[in-house]
Amino acid sequence: MNFNSKPVKGFLLDITGVLYNSDPNTIGCAIPGSVEAVNRLYAESMVRFVTNENTRNSMHLADKLTKLGFVLKEEHIFTPIPEAIRYLRAHQLRPHILVHKNIAKEFVDLDINHPNCVLIGDAEEGFTYEAMNAAFRVLHKMNDPLIITLGCGKFYQRIDGPCMDVGGFAQALRYACDAKIVGIGKPDQQFFKAAIDDMGLTPDEVVMIGDDIVSDVGGAQKAGIRSVQVRTGKWRQSWLSHSIKPDLLADDLRSAVDMLLQKTVE
Amino acid sequence: MNFNSKPVKGFLLDITGVLYNSDPNTIGCAIPGSVEAVNRLYAESMVRFVTNENTRNSMHLADKLTKLGFVLKEEHIFTPIPEAIRYLRAHQLRPHILVHKNIAKEFVDLDINHPNCVLIGDAEEGFTYEAMNAAFRVLHKMNDPLIITLGCGKFYQRIDGPCMDVGGFAQALRYACDAKIVGIGKPDQQFFKAAIDDMGLTPDEVVMIGDDIVSDVGGAQKAGIRSVQVRTGKWRQSWLSHSIKPDLLADDLRSAVDMLLQKTVE
């Protein structure tokens, strides 16, 4: 798959490490050129934001990005939170909840009595031994223990260094009680599809731009979406020899957008 | 393999869940009949204790067991701690250390500058996000990240309920940075061998009695040791259909010892 065969009509963008770098103490900082790149996409194409970020809801993310200088619409941001709520309801799941304190209120309407699964998100400092063990004890009682995880990320890049993401903690619980994991968010195909449907496009008409070789690049490709790996955020030089090969490698979002809008004009 | 073909000349006993049940607030309580069973083994056979317990060293374990009424020798208790120190030294490893605060002092003589691996034990409340992330950052920098773990246990049984063991937390780090794990302690064959050598016996002359189907029963069998699963500690009824089959299933240590000493007398 390449960029000459079919024009790109819409863009899916990861947020953290692509639009901005996060910081534990401030609102973070925009990656140079990314504000302008998003403006160009809104003016010349279509764009949606697909993030596994789950320490904040879409409203808070939109607010933060606006403060960083971005001009975008909250309803164009897709996080795993609403998708998880849909999944839990559709499968009659009553979760024991281990998520970030910032998003706990998103789940208050769910039935959580006699839990029959664990919902785990990027709890950050909420990943205490006590909290992990409480989730473990819920799973340990079940005949078919089930973990619903908000993304399966290995790590994300913060300004102060790389940070463990939810994926490892979900694996810890899985190992301890031989549980099954269902991942909501990237790289699940359904998650990309929701954002593509929202633009009224098909997978082969869009491109995914991200900093994660597995969740962004590999996930999009499995869903039939062309993908761009940017050299910002969590990008690692060693990924040049990764089994997953992006359709395009770009220095940053600006560079990727410049190249791809050029192509679609050609 | 069974118990008629070759007499049992020596016994390997797991400690937690076999000799006693642990309790977070007290020294725990001896499992009925186990004090007498250990006395019988010292009087009529040979016995060593092989435990993955690493929240205390052998001296503290011996002290605790003595308080619970057991009569045994500290030097007969094999924990993964000295084995880990040998392994780290033999492989010129300089660990970043994430272990229980009770055993941190065991490792003070190791070179820990510019760490080239992570040593992880059952840190219990020490498994904070901050501590996990610090270990992750050390591994993340390495070309071939290496985790040395004091046992790979899934969970252990405490009086107040089951508790996550170190295995899950090691898996969390492994997943986050695609690290290799080396497990010290059960079910590693070398660990059983050290205790068997200490009795001057061979694997086919001893029997392992434990409550963990994987670490105790499966591990011993792989080392050519007959094994007994007791229905105490973390025993689960669902293990009756486990792919690992013990050579003998016994209600508890007393029952196992009564049956096996009987056999060896026959």
Side-chain angles (χ1 to χ4, degrees):
Chain A
M1 203 182 293
N2 61 52
F3 295 101
N4 295 316
S5 59
K6 186 126 190 176
V8 174
K9 295 186 180 171
F11 289 73
L12 301 177
L13 308 188
D14 180 31
I15 294 182
T16 312
V18 175
L19 299 191
Y20 85 109
N21 287 318
S22 69
D23 184 320
N25 302 315
T26 72
I27 60 161
C29 67
I31 292 171
S34 60
V35 168
E36 297 76 13
V38 170
N39 289 342
R40 252 195 102 182
L41 291 179
Y42 266 109
E44 303 175 36
S45 182
M46 279 198 281
V47 61
R48 295 294 182 273
F49 305 88
V50 283
T51 178
N52 279 354
E53 170 72 57
N54 61 80
T55 63
R56 286 168 194 83
N57 65 16
S58 296
M59 192 183 74
H60 284 110
L61 273 174
D63 184 50
K64 174 190 250 208
L65 291 167
T66 302
K67 284 181 182 151
L68 288 170
F70 291 93
V71 183
L72 46 70
K73 292 186 174 171
E74 180 193 326
E75 62 266 32
H76 291 168
I77 298 175
F78 289 73
T79 83
I81 300 170
E83 186 63 27
I85 292 171
R86 270 192 295 276
Y87 187 92
L88 291 162
R89 288 207 163 118
H91 293 80
Q92 284 90 50
L93 292 171
R94 301 176 304 274
H96 170 94
I97 297 175
L98 173 51
V99 300
H100 200 282
K101 62 183 190 304
N102 289 348
I103 65 157
K105 63 186 176 304
E106 305 288 318
F107 304 101
V108 288
D109 291 337
L110 290 172
D111 180 5
I112 56 166
N113 291 306
H114 306 291
N116 56 4
C117 72
V118 162
L119 173 70
I120 185 172
D122 178 16
E124 291 187 332
E125 276 68 23
F127 284 131
T128 61
Y129 181 70
E130 192 182 0
M132 286 291 284
N133 211 39
F136 162 73
R137 287 184 177 186
V138 167
L139 293 167
H140 188 70
K141 278 186 207 157
M142 300 178 193
N143 288 328
D144 297 299
L146 175 65
I147 300 165
I148 310 295
T149 171
L150 300 173
C152 310
K154 288 174 184 283
F155 74 97
Y156 57 92
Q157 190 71 27
R158 245 178 16 193
I159 286 174
D160 62 323
C163 295
M164 281 185 80
D165 200 352
V166 63
F169 295 93
Q171 290 293 325
L173 291 173
R174 182 200 59 73
Y175 177 84
C177 48
D178 301 309
K180 181 184 161 191
I181 293 183
V182 170
I184 306 288
K186 299 176 289 184
D188 181 54
Q189 299 190 21
Q190 185 53 43
F191 192 62
F192 294 106
K193 195 171 177 303
I196 294 170
D197 286 350
D198 194 52
M199 294 191 281
L201 297 175
T202 55
D204 59 347
E205 293 176 319
V206 304
V207 61
M208 170 73 208
I209 303 178
D211 69 334
D212 189 307
I213 191 77
V214 176
S215 292
D216 295 327
V217 176
Q221 288 180 337
K222 272 195 190 156
I225 302 164
R226 290 166 287 185
S227 63
V228 178
Q229 168 76 50
V230 287
R231 293 179 193 260
T232 53
K234 72 178 80 166
W235 157 257
R236 292 289 176 272
Q237 194 71 15
S238 62
W239 289 352
L240 288 174
S241 52
H242 201 287
S243 59
I244 295 171
K245 305 290 180 197
D247 296 276
L248 180 70
L249 186 62
D251 281 346
D252 52 23
L253 178 63
R254 170 167 51 189
S255 161
V257 167
D258 285 350
M259 280 191 277
L260 291 166
L261 286 181
Q262 185 70 24
K263 289 268 182 207
T264 57
V265 166
E266 267 172 8
Chain B
M1 202 183 294
N2 62 52
F3 295 100
N4 296 314
S5 59
K6 188 127 188 175
V8 174
K9 294 186 180 172
F11 289 74
L12 301 177
L13 306 188
D14 180 30
I15 294 181
T16 312
V18 175
L19 299 191
Y20 84 110
N21 287 317
S22 68
D23 184 319
N25 303 315
T26 72
I27 59 162
C29 67
I31 292 170
S34 59
V35 168
E36 298 75 12
V38 170
N39 289 341
R40 251 195 104 183
L41 291 180
Y42 267 109
E44 302 175 37
S45 182
M46 280 197 280
V47 61
R48 296 295 183 270
F49 305 89
V50 283
T51 177
N52 278 355
E53 169 71 58
N54 60 80
T55 63
R56 287 170 193 82
N57 64 17
S58 296
M59 192 182 75
H60 285 108
L61 272 174
D63 183 49
K64 174 190 248 208
L65 291 167
T66 301
K67 283 179 182 153
L68 288 169
F70 291 93
V71 182
L72 46 71
K73 291 186 175 171
E74 179 193 327
E75 62 266 32
H76 291 168
I77 298 176
F78 290 73
T79 84
I81 300 170
E83 186 63 27
I85 293 171
R86 270 192 294 276
Y87 187 91
L88 291 162
R89 288 206 163 120
H91 293 79
Q92 284 91 51
L93 293 171
R94 301 178 304 276
H96 169 94
I97 297 175
L98 173 51
V99 298
H100 200 282
K101 61 182 191 304
N102 290 349
I103 66 158
K105 64 185 177 303
E106 304 288 317
F107 303 102
V108 289
D109 291 336
L110 290 172
D111 179 5
I112 57 166
N113 291 305
H114 306 291
N116 56 5
C117 73
V118 162
L119 173 70
I120 185 171
D122 178 17
E124 290 187 335
E125 277 67 24
F127 284 131
T128 61
Y129 181 70
E130 191 183 2
M132 287 292 283
N133 212 38
F136 163 72
R137 287 184 177 186
V138 168
L139 293 167
H140 187 71
K141 280 187 207 157
M142 299 178 194
N143 288 327
D144 297 298
L146 175 65
I147 300 164
I148 310 295
T149 172
L150 300 173
C152 310
K154 290 174 183 281
F155 73 97
Y156 56 92
Q157 191 70 27
R158 247 180 11 196
I159 286 174
D160 62 324
C163 295
M164 282 185 81
D165 200 351
V166 63
F169 294 93
Q171 290 294 325
L173 291 173
R174 183 200 58 72
Y175 177 83
C177 48
D178 301 308
K180 181 184 162 191
I181 293 183
V182 170
I184 306 287
K186 298 177 289 184
D188 182 54
Q189 299 190 21
Q190 184 53 43
F191 191 62
F192 294 106
K193 194 170 178 302
I196 295 171
D197 286 350
D198 194 52
M199 294 191 280
L201 298 175
T202 54
D204 60 348
E205 293 176 320
V206 304
V207 62
M208 170 74 207
I209 303 178
D211 69 334
D212 189 308
I213 191 76
V214 176
S215 292
D216 294 328
V217 176
Q221 288 180 338
K222 272 196 190 155
I225 301 164
R226 289 167 286 186
S227 63
V228 179
Q229 169 76 51
V230 287
R231 294 180 194 260
T232 54
K234 71 177 83 167
W235 156 257
R236 292 288 176 274
Q237 193 71 14
S238 62
W239 290 352
L240 287 174
S241 53
H242 201 286
S243 59
I244 296 171
K245 305 291 179 199
D247 296 275
L248 181 69
L249 186 61
D251 281 346
D252 52 22
L253 178 64
R254 170 167 52 191
S255 161
V257 167
D258 284 350
M259 280 192 276
L260 292 166
L261 286 181
Q262 185 71 23
K263 289 268 182 205
T264 56
V265 167
E266 268 171 6

